Amino acid sequence: MSLTATGRALLTMMALGAIFLIEVPLATGAPSSKATAGALMTSQTDIQDVSPALAAFIDNKLVGEVWKRPNLSPRDRSLITVSALIARNQTIDMPLEFKRALDNGVRPSELSETIFHLSFYAGWPNALGAVGVAKGVFAERGIGPDQLPAVSPQLLSMDPEAERTRAARVQADVGPVSQGLVDYTGSVLFHSLWLRPDLKPRDRSLVTLSALIAAGQSAQIPFHLSKAMDNGLSRTQASEVLTHLAFYVGWPNAMSAVPVMKTVFDSRPNSSAPK
Amino acid sequence: MSLTATGRALLTMMALGAIFLIEVPLATGAPSSKATAGALMTSQTDIQDVSPALAAFIDNKLVGEVWKRPNLSPRDRSLITVSALIARNQTIDMPLEFKRALDNGVRPSELSETIFHLSFYAGWPNALGAVGVAKGVFAERGIGPDQLPAVSPQLLSMDPEAERTRAARVQADVGPVSQGLVDYTGSVLFHSLWLRPDLKPRDRSLVTLSALIAAGQSAQIPFHLSKAMDNGLSRTQASEVLTHLAFYVGWPNAMSAVPVMKTVFDSRPNSSAPK
Amino acid sequence: MSLTATGRALLTMMALGAIFLIEVPLATGAPSSKATAGALMTSQTDIQDVSPALAAFIDNKLVGEVWKRPNLSPRDRSLITVSALIARNQTIDMPLEFKRALDNGVRPSELSETIFHLSFYAGWPNALGAVGVAKGVFAERGIGPDQLPAVSPQLLSMDPEAERTRAARVQADVGPVSQGLVDYTGSVLFHSLWLRPDLKPRDRSLVTLSALIAAGQSAQIPFHLSKAMDNGLSRTQASEVLTHLAFYVGWPNAMSAVPVMKTVFDSRPNSSAPK
C-alpha cells in the first residue's frame, strides 16, 4: 500500500496522539497554545453543540472552581489528573493535560518519570499510549534528552527498616502464590523505581494513589495511602485528591475509595482531620 | 506542519469519532443509515474474515434474539447500551449505537442529557469522547440547539425526606474522609443533576445502573439499584438489564453484579419476582 | 463529504487498527515484520525520546528477561498477552502482539477463537476492536477462511457431572436475580463456546484467567482458576501467568488477584507448590 506524504504525516500525527479533542482554558492563566496546535483542535463549541450544560459546567465549576480550590496546588492537581488519564488509558485528553501540567510547573523530567512510574502501576501498554502523546508535546516545546531522567541515576537511600517490613509482608502474602511477583516487586519496584530521584517520594506516592483511585483499585489503596502519608502527603491533601478525582474518574471510583481511605485515616490518629 | 484539505477533513472526522468499525442491522427494523455513512464503514464481512462464529452469533443471537427479548423496550436497551459504551470509553462503537438509540426512540435531548449525566458517573474525559461522536451524529441528522436541554432548566421537585436520608448517610460515611466530596455530591449531583427534567428519574437511574454494572462498580450498585426501583424500574426490568449487559460488558461484570443485586431484591420483598 | 483515495485508504487502515505505535524486538528471535509494516511504525526511539529508562527496561527486562523465563512457553505468554490487551481494549498494541503470537506458534484458528471467546468474557465491543486489528494481520499474512474455525463445528464432549454441578450452582446463585443470565450462561457459554474444538480447554481457561486478572475481576477468578487447573494448567504455570501479567496490566491488578488465587491453591493441597 502506498501512502502520500499527507497520509504519512497524518499517521505520524496520530501515532503521536496529536489529535486534540478539546481545548479548555488553562486553570492557571498561562497562555493557551492555540497558536501552535489550533489547526487540529476541536473548539469548546463542540461540547456546546452536544450539551450546553456540560460546557457551562466545565467553565464555571471545573475550571472556574475545582482547579482553584485550596489544599492542592495547580501543579499537584496536574500530576493527579495526568496520572488518572494514564491509568485509564485516555489518550485523547492527554495532549491538553500534559501541556497544562508543564504550564503548572511539572518539570519535563517529572512528567517523563510519571510515565515510567505508571508503566508499572498501570501496565506498560498504558505507558506507551502516554509516550506517543508526550513525544509530540516535548517536540513542540523543544524539550530534549538533557531534560529527561537518566537510565541509571544515583538512587535515593532506602529506609532499611521500612523496606524489611514491606519485603516480609509481600513474601508472606504473595510468596505462596507467585515468587516471581515477589522478586520483581522487590528488584524492579522498591529497590529501583521508588528510589529514582527524578520524582520526589511524595510525588511518586501522589501519582500512585491517583492511579489506584482512578482505576478503582481499592484493595491496593491502604498500603499506598499509608506510604503517601509517610512520604509527606497530609490528610487534608489526600482528602482533596479524592474531591478533584471525582470529576475526572467519576463518582463511583471516588466513592469506592472512601471506606479504605477511612481505615487508613483512622489508623493514624495523629494526622490532622480534613478541613 | 502543513496539512492538505484532505488531511484536515480526516482529522476533523477522527475528532468527531466518525470512524465506523461495523454496521450491524438495526434491531427495530428501522432503515439502516448506510446511505449517509456507508463510505466510512467497515462492513460486517470484516467480522466474517476473522471469526465467522462471531458474525453468526451477532446476527442470530444478539440482534436476532437478545434485542427482541421482552421486559425491556428497544429504547431502554439502547439507553443501557449507550451508557455501557460511555462508561467503558468505547468510542468506536458509539456512532452506530447513538444512531440506533435515536432510531429506537431515544430523544436527542435524552442522549445529550445521558452524556452530561455520565460525565459525573464515568468521569468527564469519558463524556468528552461521547461528545465527539454525538456531534457528528447530531450534525448528520440536523439536530440543532433547540433540541438540546437548557443549561439551567426548571428543576424537578425534590423529595425532602429521601434527600435528608441520603445527605445524612453521605455526611456520615464520606465526611470523615473528604468534605469536598460530600459537598459536591449534594450541590452538583443531588440538588442539580438528578433534578434536571430532560431525563426522567427512572431513565437517569437506568443509565446510572448500567454504567455501574458496565464498569464493575459493585460497591455502588446497592444504593443506585434501590433508587432505580424507587424511581419505577421493576425487578423484572432490572433482571433483564443484567442479561442484556452481559453481552456488551462481558460475563464477569454481569456475574459480579449478581450478589449485590440479590441483596437489594431480598431487602424489598414486595417487589415482583423476576420471570 | 468527499474523500480522496488517500483519505479512504487511511480510514480503512485506521479501521483495521493498522497504526503501530511501537515495534519492539520479538522475544523469540523470529524475524521482525518491519519490511511490510515499517512505513507505519513509530520506532522505539519514541520511547527513548520520552523515557530512556522505559526504553532500557523494555529491552533488558521485559523482552530480555520476562519473556524468556521458564514455566511458560513463548506461545503461552503470547496467548496471555493478547488476552490482556483484548480485555483492556488496548488496540494500539494489538498489531504487534497479534503478529508476535502467530510467530510464537499460536495458530490463526486459535487467535480467531480467542477473540470469539473473549467477546463473551470481555464484552463484544472489545472483540470488535480486536477484529479490526486481526483482519489486517490476517490479510498481511495471507490467512484465509480455510484457516478459521467453523461456525458450527463438532463440539467436544461435555463432562456431565461437572456440568451438573456448575449448572446447579449458577441456578442457585444467579437464578434469583436474572434467569436470562442463567439461561445464556448455559446455552451460549457452557453448552457451546467452551466445547468448541479450536481452542483446547486448557488454552480457553488460560485466556479466560488472563482476561479476568487483566480486568481486575477478582470475584470471578476462583471458579475459573479451579477450572483452569482441572483443564491442565499447573500451579507453577498459574503463578507464572501472574508474574508475566504484572508488567502488562500493572502491579495493582496482579496484586489484587493474589488472595483469591491463594484460596484456590490452598483448596487443592495436591497441586505442586510454585517454584
Side-chain angles (χ1 to χ4, degrees), chain B residues 139-158:
Chain B
E140 187 182 311
R141 302 233 170 162
I143 294 165
D146 56 310
Q147 297 184 58
L148 302 179
V151 172
S152 301
Q154 174 78 39
L155 297 180
L156 302 176
S157 64
M158 192 157 33

Side-chain angles (χ1 to χ4, degrees), chain A residues 1-4 6-8 10-12 14-16 87 89 91 108 112-113 115-116 119-132 134-136 138 143-145 148-151 170 172-185 187-189 196 212 217 219-220, chain C residues 6 9-10 13-14 18-22 24 39-40 42 45-58 61-62 65-66 69 85 88-90 92-93 96-97 100 216 235 238-240 242-243 246-259 261-262 265-266 274-275:
Chain A
M1 188 182 303
S2 148
L3 282 176
T4 64
T6 302
R8 296 192 53 168
L10 277 168
L11 281 167
T12 303
M14 284 187 289
L16 299 184
N89 209 21
T91 51
S112 167
E113 193 69 13
I115 294 171
F116 184 49
S119 75
F120 299 99
Y121 284 94
W124 84 274
N126 290 44
L128 277 197
V131 158
K135 182 181 161 71
F138 285 0
I143 293 164
L148 301 179
V151 171
V170 170
D173 290 352
V174 183
V177 172
S178 173
Q179 189 60 41
L181 187 56
V182 173
D183 295 344
Y184 282 125
T185 302
S187 64
V188 171
L189 298 188
R196 291 171 55 86
L212 292 175
Q217 293 282 2
Q220 309 307 316
Chain C
T6 302
L10 276 167
M13 290 161 62
M14 285 187 289
I19 305 164
F20 305 151
L21 185 61
I22 183 76
V24 301
L40 302 177
T42 301
T45 61
D46 282 352
I47 306 184
Q48 192 72 37
D49 288 349
V50 171
S51 173
L54 179 56
F57 166 79
I58 291 170
K61 212 76 185 171
L62 191 62
E65 186 182 303
V66 175
R69 286 169 57 91
L85 294 178
R88 293 160 64 83
N89 209 20
Q90 295 180 308
I92 286 175
D93 306 288
L96 171 68
E97 295 296 345
R100 191 195 304 233
R235 179 169 170 170
S239 296
E240 187 64 19
L242 199 60
T243 304
F247 296 94
Y248 283 88
V249 306
W251 245 254
N253 282 315
M255 284 294 183
S256 294
V258 165
M261 289 180 67
K262 184 167 187 312
F265 287 169
D266 289 348
K275 293 182 222 174

Side-chain angles (χ1 to χ4, degrees), chain B residues 147-247:
Chain B
Q147 297 184 58
L148 302 179
V151 172
S152 301
Q154 174 78 39
L155 297 180
L156 302 176
S157 64
M158 192 157 33
D159 174 345
E161 179 58 29
E163 172 55 15
R164 253 194 305 275
T165 305
R166 184 209 62 76
R169 203 178 86 173
V170 170
Q171 184 62 53
D173 290 351
V174 183
V177 172
S178 174
Q179 189 60 40
L181 187 55
V182 172
D183 295 344
Y184 282 124
T185 301
S187 64
V188 171
L189 299 188
F190 289 94
H191 298 180
S192 171
L193 181 70
W194 279 87
L195 304 179
R196 290 169 57 86
D198 296 278
L199 202 58
K200 278 181 289 195
R202 178 265 192 196
D203 289 343
R204 219 171 262 284
S205 275
L206 183 64
V207 160
T208 309
L209 179 65
S210 300
L212 292 174
I213 296 171
Q217 293 281 2
S218 301
Q220 308 309 314
I221 289 176
F223 172 78
H224 281 290
L225 176 56
S226 285
K227 189 173 170 66
M229 295 176 83
D230 290 343
N231 283 337
L233 193 77
S234 73
R235 180 169 170 173
T236 304
Q237 288 172 327
S239 296
E240 187 64 18
V241 170
L242 199 60
T243 304
H244 185 92
L245 278 177
F247 295 95

